Amino acid sequence: MKQALDLARKGEGYTSPNPMVGAVIVKDRAIVGQGFHEAAGKAHAEADAIEQAGSSSEGATLYVTLEPCNHFGRTPPCTEKILEAGIRRVVVAHADPNPDVEGGGIEYLKSKGLEVEIGLCEHEAQRLNETFIKYVQTKQPFVMVKCAATLDGQIATRTGDSRWVTNEDSRCFVHRLRHAADAIMVGIGTVRKDDPSLTTRFMETRGVDPKRIILDTHLSISEDAKVLRLESESDTIIVTGTDIPADKKDRIQAKGIYVLESSLKEGRIDLNELTDRLGAMGITSLLIEGGGCVIASALASDIVDKVFFFYAPKILGGNDGIPICKGHGPALMNQSVPVHDIEVTRFGDDVLIQGYIRKQDDSQ
């Protein structure tokens, strides 16, 4: 199963809106076939493994990270392929969480006389597909926040300089996060200050660019901004309020940019409404990269599922830089945002702290 999980990870960034799935076929204590879901529309992991195993599948055991499908989608049901191959035992890491899928693969295989076990490495498999699980259950994207800060909690100097807070290894990891996410979101302040491209770079192989989402309440973006002039297969979406200049909107949309008018809440884009709309657009995961106002708004709106906070061994030594979060915080420490399931990773001298946000409606 560990091998199947490793295989599944090879599909990261390519399978959305499908889950990452790996499969391994074992017979007489030897691996005779293995596969993974490479991309949406391509063969499922089980089919890949069965094709590789050939006749050796007869009487073998299949280890798979997600319950085999039992319905027709872009590909035929994997359950039928398992039966045709003569596999006698199936070990599944976790059940399919999709409430819209009718007919369970596990129960179907059992009804056909196969031995089926479930739950091996369940936690690891669920973490692997945490984005997919949230999206199919809520129709909302899995939301992540990333920031890079000095030890005294600032993401830029008083002049706005932030190149570079963290080292190259940390930045490479961030580009892998971008590759894995359906969309990346920043505020117009970040666009004005950094003129970023918001693409995926620094990877061993060519990464997938996420959709670029710019929060720009008044449509004040420069028409020469880099994000409006990119050669990328992914779209750029500017989210604005409803009171924007029509002529500028027309000029920007003529460049192939989508302008999405949204409701405001206290003068800012309503992020709760926006995440619902992004989910309806098929965006399953969203990486928020800042700046300070956007990160603070996302946390206050209770839309964040996971955080990635990078800290570099640098101290600005003043309080006039740009903090990770801008605006008013809570009056009491017990009103702070709780983070759990913490992991700490070193990238050279940089430290990454990642963890999950406990939602306000979660049970304590």
Side-chain angles (χ1 to χ4, degrees):
M1 189 62 79
K2 294 286 189 181
Q3 174 71 1
L5 288 166
D6 287 342
L7 287 166
R9 290 187 186 94
K10 291 184 176 183
E12 187 174 54
Y14 302 106
T15 63
S16 181
N18 293 348
M20 291 174 277
V21 183
V24 173
I25 298 175
V26 176
K27 187 174 184 180
D28 299 328
R29 295 180 173 269
I31 292 176
V32 295
Q34 55 187 351
F36 68 98
H37 185 39
E38 294 184 18
K42 289 194 174 183
H44 287 189
E46 301 95 319
D48 246 6
I50 289 169
E51 182 177 355
Q52 186 180 113
S55 60
S56 296
S57 295
E58 184 74 35
T61 295
L62 168 69
Y63 292 84
V64 63
T65 59
L66 182 67
E67 178 179 1
C69 64
N70 191 40
H71 63 281
F72 279 91
R74 295 188 188 181
T75 58
C78 288
T79 51
E80 296 300 336
K81 288 186 175 294
I82 292 168
L83 293 173
E84 291 168 7
I87 289 170
R88 297 306 305 157
R89 177 170 172 257
V90 179
V91 182
V92 179
H94 76 99
D96 191 334
N98 192 346
D100 296 331
V101 174
E102 295 181 3
I106 292 172
E107 292 306 315
Y108 180 73
L109 292 174
K110 284 182 177 179
S111 73
K112 296 297 183 179
L114 273 68
E115 179 186 349
V116 181
E117 299 176 23
I118 185 168
L120 182 64
C121 299
E122 182 177 31
H123 179 72
E124 295 96 319
Q126 289 175 336
R127 281 291 167 87
L128 178 70
N129 280 313
E130 58 194 8
T131 290
F132 170 76
I133 291 171
K134 181 188 177 183
Y135 183 74
V136 297
Q137 292 181 342
T138 68
K139 305 307 180 189
Q140 293 181 331
F142 185 86
V143 179
M144 301 160 283
V145 165
K146 166 264 167 184
C147 72
T150 59
L151 291 181
D152 48 353
Q154 299 181 77
I155 60 176
T157 68
R158 57 184 170 79
T159 64
D161 179 42
S162 60
R163 293 178 183 260
W164 294 104
V165 177
T166 52
N167 63 33
E168 186 173 339
D169 288 343
S170 295
R171 298 198 300 275
C172 286
F173 181 85
V174 171
H175 281 273
R176 291 199 294 273
L177 289 178
R178 289 183 179 185
H179 165 75
D182 284 354
I184 180 175
M185 187 167 77
V186 299
I188 186 60
T190 296
V191 175
R192 288 198 200 101
K193 177 172 63 70
D194 296 338
D195 195 23
S197 59
L198 303 177
T199 54
T200 298
R201 306 181 299 281
F202 304 128
M203 291 185 61
E204 301 81 7
T205 57
R206 186 175 182 273
V208 177
D209 290 340
K211 289 181 171 62
R212 294 164 292 278
I213 301 174
I214 315 297
L215 301 181
D216 185 7
T217 304
H218 305 293
L219 196 58
S220 61
I221 190 170
S222 167
E223 292 179 51
D224 293 323
K226 193 179 295 182
V227 290
L228 305 185
R229 298 181 285 108
L230 291 173
E231 291 186 8
S232 172
E233 295 179 1
S234 296
D235 297 330
T236 297
I237 303 169
I238 302 179
V239 185
T240 74
T242 54
D243 185 17
I244 57 174
D247 57 339
K248 187 172 183 180
K249 176 183 176 181
D250 290 341
R251 290 195 303 274
I252 288 176
Q253 291 195 137
K255 299 175 184 284
I257 308 302
Y258 181 38
V259 178
L260 176 65
E261 296 184 27
S262 179
S263 300
L264 303 183
K265 186 176 182 180
E266 298 178 357
R268 298 183 184 276
I269 303 297
D270 186 336
L271 295 183
N272 294 102
E273 176 188 297
L274 178 60
T275 51
D276 286 340
R277 295 179 71 178
L278 295 179
M281 293 166 62
I283 293 174
T284 68
S285 56
L286 175 65
L287 176 64
I288 298 176
E289 289 203 15
C293 289
V294 174
I295 292 175
S297 295
L299 290 169
S301 298
D302 199 32
I303 64 169
V304 181
D305 297 290
K306 192 173 186 179
V307 294
F308 296 86
F309 278 31
F310 290 85
Y311 289 96
K314 301 172 183 177
I315 300 171
L316 290 185
N319 66 352
D320 56 352
I322 299 176
I324 294 172
C325 295
K326 294 184 70 174
H328 293 293
L332 301 174
M333 190 59 68
N334 64 9
Q335 297 170 335
S336 59
V337 178
V339 183
H340 62 100
D341 289 0
I342 297 296
E343 290 183 25
V344 180
T345 309
R346 288 277 298 270
F347 292 94
D349 289 335
D350 292 348
V351 176
L352 165 63
I353 299 175
Q354 60 179 296
Y356 295 84
I357 301 295
R358 180 170 286 118
K359 299 293 188 175
Q360 292 177 6
D361 58 356
D362 283 351
S363 59
Q364 299 299 312

